[in-house]
Structure formats: structure tokens, C-alpha cells
Amino acid sequence: MQHEILDTTKIRKLLFLGPKGSYSDFAKENFIKSFDLNCVSTNLKSITGIIKALKDENSEDIVAVIPIENSIEGIVREALDNLVSLKKEGIKIIAETTMDVKHSLIGYTDQKSEIKVIRSHPQALAQCKHFISANFPDTIIEEATLSTSAAIKSLTKKEKHIAAIGSTECAKMYKVPVIQEDINDEENNKTRFILLGKFLSPQTGSDKTSITFSTENKAGALSKILNIFDKNEINMSYIDSRPSKKELGEYVFYIDFEGHISDDKTKQAFSEIKPFVKMFYVIGSYHAV
């Protein structure tokens, strides 16, 4: 499938994980500013829903923002599972951006002892687990929501026993009081977001490439691929695997590495890799904004 080089003037619609006030919303604004996009933004409830909408519209004028990795909790599994399904539509990663994540406890009470339920995205709850255990009894109920902003938006003055974890900026947006700021267990909490669309990003000299592939279910199959990267002096920054969902014991692999699809050593590595794989897809060559 032939792809055009990124032309931001063609982008008319941007999807993001909402509602407004989510970290994906803030990442979306960073992409809009960086690429000077003139587009309509639409929020959807889940990463899977965003990917489905992107596939259904199957157009060059629509792009999407999803979270892919957190510095504390690691890869976002729902995102990775969806990325390996993009080959048929030819959807690529166009760019990435990293956002600082600063969680706050938010709700309509100033007494933590009143709180019986805490809502948030599962990753946010995990990123504040030490705070929760240190400040609340074991009976505290943790409710998972599709986003931090959805958790905050759901709060009502009538239910003071329910609090949420999310950003102070989002709390201000929905006019909900902040009970306590900076409740992250780790200070250096960052989330990486990617911009998806039907374009190829130009070579910049500071690029990253993401690929997905599957191999025969044989001993040493993956090591052959990794040795090819090593031989061509290509630095891998991330590797993961997910079940293929087709056959027990069969996996799909995901790799990030430094370089662009146009680099000579990348082309050489790909030519050597392809005879050893059942499926192979370049999810994108892109840079950080």
C-alpha cells in the first residue's frame, strides 16, 4: 500500500480518548499546536472504539491520539493489541509526544474519612496504589473507568463518599474541588501518546520506527530476528509480545527501534528479516513533538 508523506493540511478530524480534560485531550492539543492542525476534535470512550472509528472512516483526513506507554506501568495493553491489527487499513504512527502525569485526589468532600469509593482509569489507580493504601482502609472500593476525565465528570455533590483520581486541570474544567494534589507514587510519571493516520512521516534524523510481526512457533525463531538487528547495528528501545488470538502458543511481536524506514541499514535489516516471518508490518517511522 502506497502512503503519501505527511500533509497536515489534509487533516480535518482528530479522535482522542475522552471526555475533555483527559491526558489524551492535553496530548491532542500538543499535536494540534505542533502541526498547526485545523481540524474538528471528537472524543470517544475507549482506545478500541477510537481504532474502530479510524478503520471505519478509512480516510486520510482523519487522525487519532491514543496513549501507548507509561513510565511507571509500562505499555498500554489495549493500545498494543489494537496496533497489531492496523495492517489491513495501512494506518501508521505519524508522531509521538510525552506528557507529565500529575495525579490529584478529587471530590466533593474535604474529609478523606468520608471517602468509600475511588474511581479512575486502571493505570491511574495503579500509579497511586501506595497513596491509596497509606490513606484509606482495605475496605476502600476502587472503581475502574475508561479515562481519568470520565471518573471526574461522573462525580456529584450528592455522592460525597465517591472521589476520583485525575488531573487538577480536569477538576477545574468540571468545577470539582481538589482534595489533594501530587498523589503519584513516583514523581517521574510520564505517558507517551501517539498520533495515528494514513501518512508516512518524513525522515528527520531523530526518528523511531515501530514494527509488528509473527514468526513460526519454533525454537530460536525470535532470536534470528534480534540477531539481524544486532548485526545491522540497530538499537532496539522496546520489545513486547501479545497472543495472536489465533492459535495457542502463537505470539505477535512488537518492536520499537531507533531509525527511519528510509535509512539504508533499516532497509537491509528488513530484507533479511522478511524470510523468517509469517506476518510483518511497519506501524510507522516518526519523531517526537
Side-chain angles (χ1 to χ4, degrees), residues 108-214:
Y108 287 100
T109 180
D110 55 6
Q111 300 294 323
K112 288 180 190 172
S113 58
E114 285 190 74
I115 298 171
K116 309 301 178 186
V117 178
I118 299 178
R119 291 174 180 162
S120 196
H121 187 275
Q123 283 218 341
L125 290 169
Q127 291 158 19
C128 301
K129 61 185 176 182
H130 295 311
F131 170 82
I132 293 172
S133 63
N135 287 272
F136 298 96
D138 291 342
T139 53
I140 192 75
I141 298 170
E142 296 181 24
E143 287 186 357
T145 56
L146 292 170
S147 67
T148 54
S149 53
I152 294 169
K153 190 178 179 182
S154 73
L155 298 177
T156 65
K157 293 179 180 178
K158 292 181 180 179
E159 297 177 308
K160 292 186 176 182
H161 68 288
I162 302 176
I165 290 175
S167 72
T168 294
E169 292 82 0
C170 184
K172 290 177 180 176
M173 188 177 293
Y174 291 108
K175 298 180 179 177
V176 183
V178 173
I179 301 167
Q180 185 174 336
E181 293 187 313
D182 296 327
I183 65 170
N184 300 29
D185 293 337
E186 303 289 341
E187 288 185 13
N188 187 30
N189 190 351
K190 299 177 183 293
T191 296
R192 181 163 65 99
F193 294 85
I194 53 176
L195 181 67
L196 298 168
K198 297 196 72 176
F199 292 100
L200 285 177
S201 292
Q203 195 173 14
T204 68
S206 59
D207 303 293
K208 176 189 291 183
T209 295
S210 297
I211 63 171
T212 182
F213 61 90
S214 61

Side-chain angles (χ1 to χ4, degrees), residues 25-251:
D25 185 14
F26 303 141
K28 171 209 75 178
E29 291 300 321
N30 198 17
F31 284 124
I32 289 174
K33 182 179 178 181
S34 297
F35 290 113
D36 193 26
L37 300 181
N38 181 20
C39 60
V40 174
S41 298
T42 301
N43 67 78
L44 295 176
K45 292 181 178 179
S46 70
I47 293 172
T48 300
I50 289 171
I51 298 295
K52 183 178 185 302
L54 196 58
K55 289 178 177 179
D56 288 348
E57 298 210 22
N58 199 23
S59 171
E60 289 180 350
D61 67 356
I62 179 172
V63 294
V65 176
I66 63 170
I68 181 66
E69 182 183 10
N70 177 262
S71 60
I72 309 300
E73 291 301 308
I75 204 75
V76 180
R77 295 293 177 186
E78 185 184 2
L80 190 60
D81 283 342
N82 278 285
L83 285 181
V84 300
S85 72
L86 298 179
K87 183 175 182 179
K88 185 177 179 181
E89 289 78 13
I91 296 166
K92 303 281 189 184
I93 302 175
I94 301 170
E96 69 174 7
T97 193
T98 301
M99 308 292 292
D100 288 329
V101 176
K102 296 186 186 237
H103 292 310
S104 296
L105 184 66
I106 296 156
Y108 287 100
T109 180
D110 55 6
Q111 300 294 323
K112 288 180 190 172
S113 58
E114 285 190 74
I115 298 171
K116 309 301 178 186
V117 178
I118 299 178
R119 291 174 180 162
S120 196
H121 187 275
Q123 283 218 341
L125 290 169
Q127 291 158 19
C128 301
K129 61 185 176 182
H130 295 311
F131 170 82
I132 293 172
S133 63
N135 287 272
F136 298 96
D138 291 342
T139 53
I140 192 75
I141 298 170
E142 296 181 24
E143 287 186 357
T145 56
L146 292 170
S147 67
T148 54
S149 53
I152 294 169
K153 190 178 179 182
S154 73
L155 298 177
T156 65
K157 293 179 180 178
K158 292 181 180 179
E159 297 177 308
K160 292 186 176 182
H161 68 288
I162 302 176
I165 290 175
S167 72
T168 294
E169 292 82 0
C170 184
K172 290 177 180 176
M173 188 177 293
Y174 291 108
K175 298 180 179 177
V176 183
V178 173
I179 301 167
Q180 185 174 336
E181 293 187 313
D182 296 327
I183 65 170
N184 300 29
D185 293 337
E186 303 289 341
E187 288 185 13
N188 187 30
N189 190 351
K190 299 177 183 293
T191 296
R192 181 163 65 99
F193 294 85
I194 53 176
L195 181 67
L196 298 168
K198 297 196 72 176
F199 292 100
L200 285 177
S201 292
Q203 195 173 14
T204 68
S206 59
D207 303 293
K208 176 189 291 183
T209 295
S210 297
I211 63 171
T212 182
F213 61 90
S214 61
T215 66
E216 296 289 344
N217 188 12
K218 295 178 180 178
L222 178 61
S223 65
K224 289 179 181 177
I225 309 298
L226 302 183
N227 286 337
I228 291 170
F229 279 107
D230 184 52
K231 186 181 78 170
N232 286 278
E233 298 182 338
I234 294 174
N235 183 39
M236 291 178 290
S237 56
Y238 184 81
I239 181 169
D240 205 341
S241 63
R242 299 293 290 152
S244 68
K245 301 181 182 178
K246 295 178 181 178
E247 184 180 326
L248 184 65
E250 183 178 82
Y251 289 87

